[in-house]
Amino acid sequence: MAATVASVKTLPFLSRLTRHWRVPVNALEEAGAQADGELVRLSMGPFRPYLVTHPDHVQHVLTTNQPNFVREGMFWDPLAPLVGQGILSDGDNWAESRRILQPLFTARYVNSLAERMAESIDRSIDEVIVPGPPLDIAKTMSAIVHPMIVRLFFGEKISVADMNRLGPAYDVAVTANAIRHLLPFVPDRVPLPGDRAFRRAIRTVDEVIYRRIEQVRTQEQDGDDVVSRLCQARRDDAGPDGDRRIRDDMVAMHGPSTDTTTTVLTWVWPALHAHPEAAARVYEEVERVVGDAPVSVSHLPDLTYLRMFVSEVLRLYPPAWMLPRKALATDVVGGVTIEAGSTVILSPYLTQRLPQFWDRPLTFDPERFAPGNESGRHRYAFLPFIAGPHVCLGQALFMMEAPLLIAGILRRFRPVVHSDGPVSPQLASSLRPPAGLTMALYPIRRP
Ligand code: HEM
């Protein structure tokens, strides 16, 4: 395969990372601004991944020649002990998991869960929210999202004690060794901060999940939660290997689904705070459509502006800010030769801020997602859930859950976020607001 471009720009990156070690997405943002949609290499000493941001190039990696770009190497290897060999891997194991899991998350199935989900959210809001004093936003969102996803995945029979252990363990597992994602050339035998906490968290996660698998295998098989349906699908494979595959799929889905959902829902509040005009439209819509009644599925079609608002949050703050892939064979992307074995980094964060594809890219403007406004857009310019064969299985679930939760809070409270200036992300495998960001929720007084 002949390269059609002799040289590709290489940008210094290690020095940028050192400068921005607390907020590495800033280092990526600087590099992205310099790359301006072109394919470039990021120099990190011996490690020089390709940064791919132009939607045409992203399409090539995610769809056109997708089997050549696998989830191995940087980012994925440090997470491998957690997510195992299932839906977050590649090749035959991934294909088998996808075949089993895809039917679980059809829009029809998700709609069938909606009423139950609405009730669960309403109950959690009652239990979790104390009006008035400062509430840690991330912890509050997690306390509402987590029980709902755990029940959906593990069924009603999971004990409260197990549920309460699972949440924090996952949280530690996805954040503890984040530094390894940025230093992929450091071998596993060299200890890094967070390694021990990471291993401890995995032990906790495994204990809880294997216990639940055993329970389903021995006591019941016909629930409609995810673990029961996985046990049904693998009924003929009830040994340790089968259990291991169920465990891998449960972990691979549970982690990304709770972490991403909580993260986006945490960004919603500083976004409302920073954009009072958009916030006023959200409040007006929730008041008009929902009023003070519990939010139900019948309200969802009319919460149009809220959905646009959430999409704009997903554009500016996609939890998956960096998605690395490894090239199996040499390939040409955008005229640049990518050698076999190279790492390619996709970044929804950068692609969704490219001025060539987004008018006033740094301006928060939900109108971009008004019905009809999306028609001229490149299909690969907006990819919070990515695209192609690996497209997120939880997209429909999230787009139902988010308005239920936000409207569920806003029908009763008005938020005041405690922040003096712009809120910037912290170091984690997903793009999170800084830990400890708080808000107060004040009850709405209606006549
Ligand atoms: C705002 C919420 C969410 C966002 C932004 C999000 C984003 C993503 C992204 C970017 C990927 C691709 C990862 C990669 O291949 O590198 C992905 C995959 C996936 N997501 Fe989500 N996700 C969200 C919620 C959920 C939920 C609620 C579920 C629960 C079912 C879920 C399940 C999955 C699964 C199973 C995959 C792997 C699909 C495959 O590789 O075949 N996600 N998600």
Side-chain angles (χ1 to χ4, degrees):
M1 212 181 288
T4 48
V5 166
S7 64
V8 51
K9 219 193 281 176
T10 299
L11 310 179
F13 197 63
L14 201 51
S15 50
R16 282 199 168 106
L17 265 184
T18 319
R19 214 162 355 107
H20 293 293
W21 71 275
R22 278 177 186 281
V23 190
V25 74
N26 290 351
L28 198 68
E29 197 161 14
E30 275 182 19
Q34 222 181 322
D36 197 25
E38 293 299 312
L39 212 137
V40 293
R41 291 195 94 161
L42 302 178
S43 173
M44 298 167 74
F47 178 58
R48 293 193 302 146
Y50 292 87
L51 179 65
V52 174
T53 55
H54 191 288
D56 287 348
H57 307 162
V58 174
Q59 180 166 9
H60 181 93
V61 172
L62 287 180
T63 303
T64 318
N65 199 15
Q66 181 272 329
N68 190 44
F69 294 96
V70 295
R71 294 186 283 202
E72 286 174 21
M74 180 191 193
F75 181 83
W76 298 104
D77 292 351
L79 277 183
L82 179 69
V83 300
Q85 285 301 311
I87 188 70
L88 278 189
S89 64
D90 258 302
D92 292 347
N93 282 348
W94 164 76
E96 188 187 313
S97 290
R98 181 101 193 174
R99 186 175 46 73
I100 292 176
L101 288 169
Q102 188 138 335
L104 297 189
F105 292 100
T106 55
R108 212 162 118 223
Y109 173 66
V110 169
N111 284 337
S112 76
L113 301 172
E115 226 36 273
R116 231 190 305 160
M117 205 181 270
E119 284 162 22
S120 158
I121 290 177
D122 212 48
R123 208 169 41 237
S124 295
I125 291 174
D126 264 346
E127 286 163 11
V128 168
I129 290 180
V130 181
L135 298 169
D136 183 304
I137 304 180
K139 286 188 182 152
T140 306
M141 293 302 113
S142 175
I144 300 172
V145 166
H146 194 255
M148 189 187 57
I149 294 200
V150 169
R151 292 218 170 84
L152 170 68
F153 280 28
F154 291 87
E156 296 290 334
K157 291 198 182 146
I158 184 163
S159 70
V160 173
D162 274 353
M163 197 152 81
N164 291 343
R165 290 173 76 207
L166 207 51
Y170 263 121
D171 219 41
V172 171
V174 293
T175 47
N177 70 346
I179 194 77
R180 283 215 178 264
H181 304 160
L182 299 166
L183 305 171
F185 40 84
V186 176
D188 285 352
R189 63 176 186 284
V190 177
L192 283 179
D195 283 352
R196 279 179 37 203
F198 179 66
R199 282 195 296 272
R200 252 196 329 268
I202 291 182
R203 275 200 300 278
T204 306
V205 168
D206 281 359
E207 265 170 44
V208 173
I209 294 189
Y210 279 122
R211 193 166 29 243
R212 184 69 186 117
I213 295 174
E214 197 194 326
Q215 208 181 15
V216 175
R217 291 269 206 212
T218 52
Q219 295 170 10
E220 5 106 25
Q221 286 277 344
D222 55 353
D224 68 352
D225 53 273
V226 176
V227 70
S228 299
R229 297 180 69 172
L230 284 176
C231 288
Q232 289 157 28
R234 293 189 185 275
R235 192 175 277 137
D236 299 331
D237 188 11
D241 285 351
D243 285 0
R244 173 87 207 169
R245 294 296 307 273
I246 295 172
R247 175 263 174 225
D248 286 355
D249 281 339
M250 291 298 292
V251 179
M253 282 201 308
H254 182 98
S257 57
T258 46
D259 186 50
T260 49
T261 302
T262 305
T263 303
V264 180
L265 290 170
T266 302
W267 279 115
V268 162
W269 309 96
L272 285 169
H273 176 76
H275 308 288
E277 278 178 29
R281 285 187 66 181
V282 171
Y283 301 158
E284 184 282 321
E285 185 180 81
V286 173
E287 189 62 27
R288 178 166 40 81
V289 174
V290 181
D292 61 356
V295 189
S296 85
V297 179
S298 64
H299 295 126
L300 293 181
D302 297 322
L303 293 172
T304 317
Y305 190 77
L306 179 54
R307 271 197 309 280
M308 290 157 56
F309 187 95
V310 171
S311 296
E312 183 66 340
V313 171
L314 280 165
R315 182 183 74 84
L316 282 171
Y317 308 105
W321 57 286
M322 190 176 79
L323 294 170
R325 297 290 194 260
K326 190 163 106 181
L328 290 178
T330 298
D331 193 3
V332 176
V333 183
V336 170
T337 300
I338 310 262
E339 309 81 14
S342 308
T343 295
V344 163
I345 296 179
L346 307 176
S347 171
Y349 182 90
L350 293 182
T351 300
Q352 293 172 181
R353 291 167 178 237
L354 277 179
Q356 298 89 321
F357 295 89
W358 298 93
D359 182 31
R360 300 165 296 117
L362 301 185
T363 304
F364 185 91
D365 180 9
E367 281 303 323
R368 309 170 191 281
F369 295 97
N373 281 358
E374 299 181 54
S375 52
R377 183 177 311 141
H378 194 302
R379 265 198 315 138
Y380 287 76
F382 182 58
L383 23 118
F385 302 100
I386 71 158
H390 283 299
V391 68
C392 171
L393 278 176
Q395 185 169 351
L397 188 67
F398 174 78
M399 289 313 281
M400 189 177 68
E401 198 182 350
L404 286 175
L405 187 149
I406 302 165
I409 295 179
L410 290 179
R411 80 179 174 89
R412 295 166 59 183
F413 304 104
R414 286 292 170 266
V416 175
V417 173
H418 304 128
S419 157
D420 293 336
V423 173
S424 2
Q426 66 162 16
L427 168 63
S429 50
S430 59
L431 188 79
R432 295 177 172 209
L437 186 66
T438 60
M439 68 174 167
L441 287 171
Y442 296 105
I444 300 174
R445 297 198 197 292
R446 291 191 174 83

